[in-house]
Amino acid sequence: MNSMRVLVMEPPNQQLPCDTARPNGALGPAYLVGALRAAGIEANYYDGTVGHPKESLDATFFNRQPRENGTIRYGASVERLAEVIGGYDVLALSSIFTAQTRMHFEAIRAARAVEVEQGRKILIVAGGVNARALRKQFLEFGADHVVMGDGEQEIVNIVTGSNKSLALMDELPQPALESLPLETYRKLGIPHAGVLPKGTMFGAIQTSRGCQDRCSFCHISMEKAAGTGYLRAFSVERVRRDVEHAASLGITRLYFEDDNLFFSKRRLKQLAPVLKRPGMEYSNVNGGNLRFLFEQKKGSRHEVDAEFVGILADFGLKELTMPFESRSPAIMQQYATGKYDADVMDSAVLVWALKMAGIRTSGNFMIGFPDEEWESVLRTKEFAREMMAAGLDACGFMIPVPYPGSLDFERWMGSDVEVRRKFEADPLAFTDRMHWRAKPLWPTRVEGERLEASVRDWWEELNGVEYTGKKVEQNVGVQ
């Protein structure tokens, strides 16, 4: 057994006061712990937002500290991070959200302080889509390695000095869901998105990675240019084992973390029997392009695929977030790969079909693309209103953010040399404000203040008071 001890960490978070305070618990770190343990390496997970199961939530999740950048930090103190890191030889950071870049740098700084105090080297490895996109910045701030692809085998190679590779998805060890503080998450009852019955034990599952589309605001748009980001799938048997493992831990609600769960109807039909299990339910709040819920008839006519919707409901899908994005066909074509066409796909009928199948639905709508006019923004608002009337349970608005690693980010930086210079000089001044509810830092036809107000005001206007009230109670700015 390798003598190195590895700590896989997601640091404390910083959020805008109007955003939900959520624990971490992403699936990626569980995969890393699983891979390390399978290789005989001692590895553990630490969620900086809630700490270890025996830590007081008052000292972690409810430890709220306003910051000068306008966000509120919540989670374990820096001193506590250093204490935890001090017991390990390797710190592995999983960075997937741009707005949390500062928090990862904080963890790196804490690890380097521990090095000085203990007089020994701590190896720092960063991975995840944000670390890949900002690899220069992570390395400059003190990370020793930035993993540029799937991290499971790479972290093992770094720790052991080996040079192995995996040829098939099924060769990835099972994610160590048991390493996550599942009971703490159950008590908090705040998943990454959606609505969860109180007291539900929840976790995550992935049946595939990558996406067939390349929306310009998504990191996959650039990863495909580099030869990654393409669709890869786990076998039916592997998915069966992952579901069984989750069930053995007492999990009764699994959240799909696929980039696009619906990319192959045939495959999902094959998965349905192994997903269907007494007592197990599913949410898909991450990715599921809506065109796959239709079937094309003669000409350009599309009809809701009632059989497919029935299959989803039958295996236990209870919740679906629908990425309607924009009502503008031009916007959808330019920024979203034309992945959904509301002119030929009856969105209201789709919402109603899902509702009749017993699936709770919410819709995401994007407003304020760089060259979008106010009239187009209003059309998307009315589209959201129509979907609520058709039976949508909730809706939300967001400003498209050109996150580092996306094609939109490269276009933005390439169009203004001075902005690129400022970003290179002080990246955190940008990443702190890269939030879909915040006033955009990049040029937009519609004033940024107007977009920021619309995201908030329209959410309150179109959703019920009971729903918005419960969500506001979970905001990081509310103790």
Side-chain angles (χ1 to χ4, degrees):
M1 183 172 180
N2 191 292
S3 62
M4 299 280 276
R5 303 185 72 229
V6 182
L7 177 66
V8 179
M9 175 187 283
E10 288 183 282
N13 283 346
Q14 60 173 12
Q15 298 284 16
L16 298 176
C18 63
D19 201 10
T20 302
R22 302 177 180 86
N24 286 313
L27 189 57
Y31 269 107
L32 296 181
V33 175
L36 288 161
R37 289 178 177 177
I41 300 165
E42 183 179 352
N44 293 300
Y45 170 72
Y46 188 77
D47 180 347
T49 65
V50 300
H52 288 309
K54 293 184 178 180
E55 287 187 65
S56 168
L57 289 176
D58 288 335
T60 55
F61 192 75
F62 296 108
N63 177 25
R64 312 284 169 86
Q65 303 293 330
R67 314 195 79 162
E68 292 183 1
N69 62 10
T71 67
I72 296 176
R73 180 193 188 278
Y74 65 98
S77 66
V78 174
E79 293 75 19
R80 175 57 181 157
L81 296 183
E83 180 183 357
V84 175
I85 293 169
Y88 293 86
D89 305 295
V90 180
L91 173 64
L93 295 169
S94 179
S95 177
I96 57 177
F97 298 116
T98 301
Q100 304 307 326
T101 302
R102 182 181 295 274
M103 307 311 297
H104 287 270
F105 285 6
E106 181 181 88
I108 292 173
R109 185 184 299 114
R112 293 306 180 213
V114 171
E115 280 187 336
V116 173
E117 180 181 340
Q118 297 185 356
R120 65 182 182 88
K121 171 69 176 176
I122 294 177
L123 189 69
I124 301 176
V125 182
V129 59
N130 183 59
R132 292 198 300 269
L134 297 177
R135 54 191 176 279
K136 176 176 177 288
Q137 288 77 13
F138 269 77
L139 291 170
E140 288 177 347
F141 202 83
D144 295 298
H145 299 274
V146 173
V147 176
M148 295 305 294
D150 292 337
E152 291 89 350
Q153 186 58 50
E154 189 61 26
I155 185 67
V156 172
N157 288 344
I158 290 171
V159 173
T160 62
S162 59
N163 189 30
K164 297 180 180 178
S165 60
L166 301 178
L168 301 172
M169 287 281 283
D170 278 15
E171 294 179 13
L172 292 174
Q174 275 190 316
L177 295 178
E178 66 277 7
S179 68
L180 308 182
L182 297 174
E183 181 61 25
T184 301
Y185 298 159
R186 184 192 67 78
K187 290 178 180 178
L188 284 173
I190 307 174
H192 293 165
V195 175
L196 187 71
K198 187 176 181 179
T200 302
M201 183 79 83
F202 64 94
I205 188 171
Q206 194 174 56
T207 77
S208 65
R209 295 181 180 181
C211 183
Q212 77 288 344
D213 293 323
R214 54 177 74 204
C215 302
S216 62
F217 47 80
C218 176
H219 64 91
I220 289 177
S221 61
M222 291 299 293
E223 288 183 345
K224 283 190 173 181
T228 59
Y230 289 94
L231 274 166
R232 296 159 294 154
F234 289 107
S235 69
V236 173
E237 174 59 23
R238 169 55 188 266
V239 173
R240 181 190 64 78
R241 294 200 305 269
D242 285 354
V243 173
E244 289 182 347
H245 179 56
S248 73
L249 298 173
I251 292 172
T252 58
R253 176 68 68 93
L254 280 170
Y255 285 76
F256 290 110
E257 289 200 5
D258 300 48
D259 292 303
N260 179 18
L261 180 66
F262 302 149
F263 75 89
S264 170
K265 292 183 182 181
R266 178 182 177 185
R267 175 176 176 272
L268 201 51
K269 289 176 182 178
Q270 293 171 341
L271 287 178
V274 303
L275 294 172
K276 186 176 181 178
R277 184 185 181 92
M280 184 66 76
E281 298 177 342
Y282 298 88
S283 290
N284 184 20
V285 297
N286 190 48
N289 292 348
L290 302 182
R291 70 175 182 270
F292 296 101
L293 296 177
F294 290 84
E295 52 184 350
Q296 188 170 358
K297 300 298 184 179
K298 290 183 179 180
S300 61
R301 188 167 64 91
H302 291 69
E303 290 184 1
V304 173
D305 190 338
E307 179 190 6
F308 188 58
V309 170
I311 289 172
L312 300 179
D314 184 65
F315 75 62
L317 186 67
K318 296 297 182 183
E319 185 177 36
L320 174 63
T321 296
M322 307 175 73
F324 288 110
E325 318 298 32
S326 172
R327 186 57 185 87
S328 166
I331 290 291
M332 292 296 290
Q333 192 62 42
Q334 181 177 351
Y335 294 98
T337 330
K339 65 182 182 181
Y340 184 69
D341 188 349
D343 285 339
V344 299
M345 300 172 186
D346 196 324
S347 305
V349 172
L350 174 59
V351 169
W352 182 250
L354 290 164
K355 192 177 190 69
M356 289 300 96
I359 300 173
R360 182 187 183 276
T361 57
S362 60
N364 285 340
F365 300 87
M366 305 179 80
I367 60 172
F369 287 88
D371 54 354
E372 187 175 20
E373 302 287 353
W374 180 244
E375 290 74 16
S376 173
V377 171
L378 288 177
R379 190 180 181 196
T380 295
K381 178 194 177 183
E382 290 310 306
F383 183 35
R385 189 193 303 277
E386 292 167 5
M387 293 305 99
M388 291 294 288
L392 206 62
D393 293 287
C395 68
F397 297 89
M398 55 189 65
I399 301 167
V401 179
Y403 292 112
S406 70
L407 181 58
D408 283 351
F409 178 80
E410 294 303 319
R411 288 171 175 167
W412 175 33
M413 290 292 154
S415 67
D416 193 326
V417 176
E418 182 61 17
V419 169
R420 169 72 78 174
R421 185 192 66 77
K422 290 180 179 179
F423 181 86
E424 294 293 341
D426 188 5
L428 294 180
F430 288 76
T431 59
D432 283 346
R433 297 295 295 175
M434 285 187 166
H435 193 291
W436 52 268
R437 281 188 175 136
K439 175 185 173 182
L441 302 172
W442 45 95
T444 55
R445 291 274 178 87
V446 179
E447 297 87 346
E449 293 86 352
R450 196 176 193 182
L451 292 170
E452 185 178 27
S454 296
V455 166
R456 178 188 65 246
D457 295 345
W458 295 353
W459 176 75
E460 293 178 348
E461 176 185 342
L462 297 187
N463 290 286
V465 175
E466 181 180 358
Y467 172 78
T468 57
K470 288 182 179 178
K471 285 296 184 181
V472 167
E473 289 176 359
Q474 296 176 344
N475 284 353
V476 70
V478 177
Q479 283 290 103

